[in-house]
Amino acid sequence: MSEDMSRRYFLKGGLLVLAVAITPGALVLMNVSLGAAAPAAPFRPHAFLELDADGSVTVWVGQTDLGQGTHTGIAMIIADEMDADWSRVRVRMALAAEPFKDPEWGMQATGGSTSIRHRWDMLRKAGAAARLMLVQAAARQWGVDPAACSTVTGQVRHPDGRGIGYGELAAKAAALRVPVEPPLKNAADYAVIGTLRRRLDLEDKVQGRTAFGIDVRLPGMCVAVLARPPRFGARPVAVDADGTRQVRGVLDVIPVGDAVAVCAESTWSALQGRDALKITWSEGSRPDLSDAAIAAELLAKLDGPAAVAEDTGNAAEALAAAATVVESLYSVPYVAHAQLEPTNCTAHVEKDRCRIWAPTQGQTAVQDEGARICGLPPEKVEVMTTPCGGGFGRRGETDVVTEAVSLSKALGRPVKVVWTRGDEFAHDVFRPASVCRIRGGLDGGGNLVAWSHRLVASSIMSRLWPSAVQNGLDPTSVEGVEGMPYAIPNRRIEYVIPDLPIPVGWLRSVGHSYNCFTVESFVDEMALAAGKDPVEFRLGLMEKDSRPYRTLSLLADKADWGGPIPAGRGRGVAVTECFGSAVAQMAEVSVDRGTGVITVHRVVCAVDCGTAVYPDAITAQMEGAVVMGLSIALHERVRFAKGGVVTSGYGQYRLLGMKEVPAVEVFIAESRHPVGGIGEPGLPPVAPAVANAVFAATGVRLRELPFSREALKTAVA
């Protein structure tokens, strides 16, 4: 990894470089040749494409590699429209820059399953424009009509048998005017999109050549670890660092915000130095905070004032007139990100620039934070994004960036900040805990006519973008309840923010991850009350031929819903529509009545994500989402006591084991819908599908995550 990367170092001689910019007026394509100044006009998100004189193609991406296969998928789109030789295509991570900002968000960030769905047209037009320019260059060289030429596998061809490689045409094509609206391929003509391809990053990862953030090494670099408050809101009152300064290799002890950093020549020395610190901490904002106190606060908010997220029809009147009313209470705990690679960041602050190496999901936020601390314009802050060993939303935070840049500025040398596993759990930004009370009403015909839903959950946006919370309503907290895929004539959704000091943040599928559990579990309860099959009940509430309707129908077919099932097992279903896609899942489980242990034997997943760009990655993402969803449903929970977090590592935070992973079958729908996301929507249906399957097997309804073995054992007994 070069320390001297410049923002434009990839502009080399003999290259055709295409940039695609989304502007408020239209999509504009520009070609930048050697020696030309970079466009002065402001850019929105760009995709860069390089064609070398030897015919090799480099796709520069601004989205973070979190292991999703997105980099390969992006390259497949461009390569297909370009008719490039796939064997000559490679992907490189670009520096943080204006051209790589998301066209809808206005910032460079990886999340919300947007990497492809927000850039679909832009990526296609980049490849198509390159193809058209190469055809025009070949036609000029041959003195023929461009319409007579065709392209295939990195070549322009003429019906008379002549052919010329893309690399030979690069210089001539670079001099041509770039078409604004190049003709795009029909889906029937795709040759790369939708096919099985080996991931472009696979070989380096398998061979151990991939350098993650934790692997960054710079000349003169020191390592820092921080002593952080043991309780929420606590700050250091007194610091005795005499013992720390005696530890061999320790260079300095520096306060950073509410923490104290130990900077040393090695990670080991820094950790030893931190252990030797003697710090007196203040009491914090809630020294009495505990699991019990959190539960009491959440439950107390189920009554009293609330923000109204949706009020359609008249739910109160419909419930009063309903033939059957069902009421249930659900709860979910705080969940940690528990990513494998610990949080880290390396920064080098110099006189006129700041360089940051980080496994980040939020390049613009990192760049802005570096600029704020250093007093530099953002363009003087270079952000090198490394691959991430997990993220799930956690790496969109900038806390570790603040620490690394502040310490580098103070010490005048490169600093790498590394969090320990204990730091990860004690100072995460957790998925919110929540409780909800749902009441549903059926008419005499068993039709669902009323839904009343009160949700209590901490607000993510209150911390990150307070202006997004209007009249006490955080829209991300109610997603999955508001906008559920069911047509219910009378609906009222209320939301309350509890008074808790625990920081919360994005975790894979955000509000959908816990709201889908409650909604899809309660829909099963209503189906039971109506005396109807759970799949047929759901389909009857959906718009026919809609995305979720077709996805659930595909699942029922592929999973043989209603078919024979082994003795002692139960099946359950759940469906979601989020992040531009629909996912339906069926779980098949059994329960050991003596121990309460749930065994998930099989999960069948149907997904409609629009055009399936990279089917192998889609399957892998669904499989990974099932594993993560099962882990959260069966095991994961953060514990609190004495004003802070008491969960300190994987020993207290159990994850799903290999032997617990079921057989997973994935079926991708042939879709006419727009391109959707794939990283997020596979997780939400997992927990409710399992809970509904447990009910089918035992008659016990599970309404709390993670599922309690003891409670289940007692109930089935």
Side-chain angles (χ1 to χ4, degrees), residues 314-492:
N314 192 315
E317 286 185 3
L319 285 167
T324 303
V325 175
V326 178
E327 179 176 323
S328 293
L329 187 72
Y330 288 85
S331 66
V332 302
Y334 287 99
V335 172
H337 291 83
Q339 66 232 15
L340 185 61
E341 180 192 9
T343 297
N344 65 87
C345 177
T346 303
H348 189 191
V349 178
E350 301 172 81
K351 181 180 179 181
D352 58 354
R353 68 170 176 172
C354 171
R355 290 179 290 167
I356 300 171
W357 292 260
T360 179
Q361 292 177 247
Q363 288 83 1
T364 297
V366 169
Q367 195 170 48
D368 289 347
E369 182 66 357
R372 182 190 68 80
I373 295 170
C374 298
L376 294 169
E379 60 268 20
K380 292 292 185 180
V381 180
E382 296 185 6
V383 179
M384 279 64 72
T385 306
T386 68
C388 301
F392 317 115
R394 179 62 177 91
R395 298 194 194 274
E397 302 286 336
T398 59
D399 42 7
V400 69
V401 176
T402 302
E403 295 165 354
V405 174
S406 298
L407 291 170
S408 178
K409 181 181 178 182
L411 291 171
R413 63 190 295 176
V415 175
K416 176 160 71 176
V417 172
V418 179
W419 288 34
T420 64
R421 191 63 63 194
D423 296 333
E424 291 290 323
F425 282 100
H427 301 279
D428 200 355
V429 287
F430 306 95
R431 188 190 76 172
S434 74
V435 298
C436 71
R437 182 173 57 219
I438 315 175
R439 300 182 72 209
L442 300 169
D443 65 14
N447 300 303
L448 184 56
V449 295
W451 184 291
S452 174
H453 196 125
R454 174 173 279 223
L455 168 67
V456 182
S458 296
S459 165
I460 297 172
M461 300 300 276
S462 293
R463 179 178 67 88
L464 296 176
W465 286 283
S467 61
V469 180
Q470 300 291 325
N471 300 317
L473 178 64
D474 180 344
T476 68
S477 296
V478 297
E479 59 188 13
V481 182
E482 186 180 27
M484 67 176 77
Y486 305 115
I488 306 169
N490 302 284
R491 303 184 304 277
R492 184 174 174 87

Side-chain angles (χ1 to χ4, degrees), residues 186 205 250 310 528 645:
N186 295 318
K205 286 184 174 179
V250 168
E310 182 179 358
L528 177 68
V645 178

